[in-house]
Amino acid sequence: MPKVSVIIPLYNASPYLAELKQVWEQTLNDFELILVDDCSTDNTWEQLQRFKSDYPERTIILARNERNLGPGGTRNHGLTLSSGQYVIFLDGDDRYEPTMLEKMAAKLDETCADVVCGGFMEHDQDRTELRLFSPRLIKQLGIYNSKGGGSALTELSPFTIEQVLIHPSLFPAPWNKMIRRSFLSEHNITFPSMSFGEDRCWSEHMVLKAHAIEVINEVLYHYQLRPGSISKAQNERFVAAFFAQLDYAYQLLQAANILERINTAWQFHYWDTLFSQFNRINQQPEVQLKLLQAACAFCQEHKMADSSDSMPLAARLGLYRLLPQVAALLPLRSKLKQQHRIYRHLKRFNRLLRVSD
């Protein structure tokens, strides 16, 4: 059994397949490389076969989907072919620090964690952004880990749950996480079939089931945002997939019997995510309108507030500002602060709906 299974989904990857050889620079040698072609229409498959023949001394598993499955389904296919103790899903057009596999595997070896997450750099043409984990998340993960996570999640306070489950620095991408393969198998954690947000769904499922999550707060991965990539392509299909992703998260939380306890955090997460996507499609007003209309339907289906007038007075006035930041009051202050932010999101939502009428 290899220590790590490295799974890379590929689609029309011909322009950057030469970059795959960087994986041999890893200081950890005990890994298998699983490359899955998602029915590419270029010569990706032929290049992969040449790549394998160039490294006969390496363990390289090639596979090709019978039909186009998208990145999530392609990762699932790769997982069925894996045999490593640990699994990591990488993207073929990104760059990795040479010590990435070694450091992440060592962290899993020395802890009882099911998952280890690494920091990364996000590169977009001339812009570079550092993504590390906030001190607050690291502190809350410590509480989460000590309580046993997963099955003991209901024992944690709502404040802790929301910080662990819906925290912006716990980035939902799979490529900065190494996971115990047995953990994924035990809980049947796979990527759902959708054209957008399958990685976020996978990540939320993973967090809900994990007994412990560790972080390595240094850059191990370099994520390349490329023009025309799936993460930037926004169209009408995106709207349906976006709300399918949110519904998936809603159902997960409900099944875990913790939705009611973190309802305020969930609603803030919903509106914050919605407006983040709304801003990303600012050049497509017709898609923005469909997003707003779908948001109304989602709120009605899930019995969520969709009017700023329905928010309590404390939220409208932002009374959280009057509470001192002492440990005993932090949960209440956090809840009131999120309610105020929800109120502000709802005001914007209602204003946009009136303009679109």
Side-chain angles (χ1 to χ4, degrees):
M1 175 192 295
K3 174 68 75 174
V4 179
S5 294
V6 177
I7 301 171
I8 302 180
L10 299 159
Y11 176 74
N12 287 350
S14 179
Y16 56 83
L17 277 181
E19 299 178 24
L20 282 178
K21 65 179 181 293
Q22 69 168 305
V23 75
W24 310 132
E25 299 171 5
Q26 289 294 308
T27 54
L28 176 74
N29 291 318
D30 187 12
F31 68 90
E32 62 181 2
L33 180 62
I34 302 173
L35 305 171
V36 187
D37 178 23
D38 191 23
C39 298
S40 296
T41 57
D42 62 5
N43 67 340
T44 292
W45 181 242
E46 290 72 22
Q47 287 196 54
L48 287 178
Q49 290 174 314
R50 286 196 295 271
F51 177 81
K52 181 175 181 177
S53 66
D54 288 342
Y55 301 96
E57 74 283 7
R58 300 285 188 170
T59 303
I60 302 174
I61 300 172
L62 298 185
R64 195 178 194 191
N65 296 337
E66 295 182 358
R67 59 183 177 85
N68 186 268
L69 298 177
T74 304
R75 293 185 185 112
N76 291 340
H77 186 182
L79 184 61
T80 65
L81 303 172
S82 66
S83 59
Q85 182 181 0
Y86 307 137
V87 174
I88 188 168
F89 300 96
L90 305 181
D91 282 354
D93 57 345
D94 294 334
R95 293 183 294 110
Y96 337 117
E97 291 295 320
T99 57
M100 179 183 68
L101 296 183
E102 182 180 10
K103 287 184 176 180
M104 297 182 93
K107 178 65 74 172
L108 289 175
D109 281 345
E110 69 189 38
T111 67
C112 64
D114 296 306
V115 183
V116 60
C117 308
F120 63 95
M121 295 286 286
E122 190 174 83
H123 304 270
D124 185 1
Q125 297 177 346
D126 297 329
R127 181 188 65 84
T128 297
E129 184 176 349
L130 175 66
R131 296 292 194 99
L132 295 176
F133 305 97
S134 73
R136 176 177 288 183
L137 174 68
I138 293 173
K139 178 181 178 182
Q140 296 301 331
L141 280 174
I143 299 172
Y144 175 76
N145 293 353
S146 66
K147 290 285 187 178
S151 60
L153 198 60
T154 53
E155 299 176 10
L156 300 175
S157 72
F159 180 59
T160 303
I161 293 172
E162 71 189 47
Q163 289 299 324
V164 171
L165 184 60
I166 311 173
H167 197 287
S169 76
L170 192 62
F171 200 70
W175 34 253
N176 73 326
K177 300 172 179 66
M178 186 178 285
I179 317 100
R180 293 183 189 274
R181 191 166 60 89
S182 58
F183 162 72
L184 293 175
S185 177
E186 177 186 354
H187 298 286
N188 193 28
I189 299 173
T190 59
F191 293 87
S193 178
M194 55 182 67
S195 58
F196 176 89
E198 81 291 335
D199 51 356
R200 181 175 292 276
C201 294
W202 175 87
S203 181
E204 288 167 340
H205 194 179
M206 177 195 70
V207 172
L208 278 171
K209 294 297 183 181
H211 284 77
I213 298 173
E214 295 288 339
V215 299
I216 299 175
N217 213 18
E218 63 179 274
V219 172
L220 297 177
Y221 198 91
H222 295 267
Y223 176 58
Q224 310 291 324
L225 273 169
R226 300 180 186 273
S229 66
I230 291 175
S231 58
K232 283 195 167 184
Q234 308 292 358
N235 50 40
E236 293 189 14
R237 274 196 320 160
F238 146 79
V239 174
F242 174 71
F243 284 98
Q245 170 239 305
L246 286 172
D247 186 66
Y248 186 96
Y250 181 92
Q251 300 301 334
L252 279 178
L253 293 170
Q254 195 170 54
N257 296 316
I258 60 174
L259 182 61
E260 184 176 349
R261 298 179 66 201
I262 63 167
N263 188 48
T264 300
W266 156 254
Q267 290 195 50
F268 173 65
H269 169 70
Y270 168 80
W271 290 109
D272 195 51
T273 304
L274 183 135
F275 278 113
S276 174
Q277 298 303 328
F278 183 87
N279 293 334
R280 289 176 64 184
I281 53 176
N282 60 354
Q283 301 300 317
Q284 302 182 57
E286 71 285 352
V287 182
Q288 285 184 321
L289 177 58
K290 289 183 179 294
L291 186 72
L292 295 175
Q293 292 170 338
C296 288
F298 188 91
C299 288
Q300 291 174 6
E301 180 183 353
H302 296 86
K303 297 180 175 58
M304 290 171 52
D306 60 1
S307 170
S308 59
D309 293 337
S310 64
M311 296 300 293
L313 183 62
R316 291 187 239 174
L317 298 178
L319 294 185
Y320 75 92
R321 301 186 188 97
L322 302 179
L323 295 180
Q325 296 193 46
V326 296
L329 294 177
L330 280 180
L332 177 60
R333 193 178 191 278
S334 175
K335 181 177 180 178
L336 290 175
K337 185 176 182 179
Q338 286 182 332
Q339 284 183 342
H340 180 64
R341 289 177 172 176
I342 294 170
Y343 168 72
R344 293 174 63 182
H345 279 321
L346 284 169
K347 281 188 68 176
R348 182 185 178 192
F349 177 65
N350 296 155
R351 183 173 65 252
L352 289 169
L353 280 178
R354 286 195 297 270
V355 171
S356 64
D357 286 341

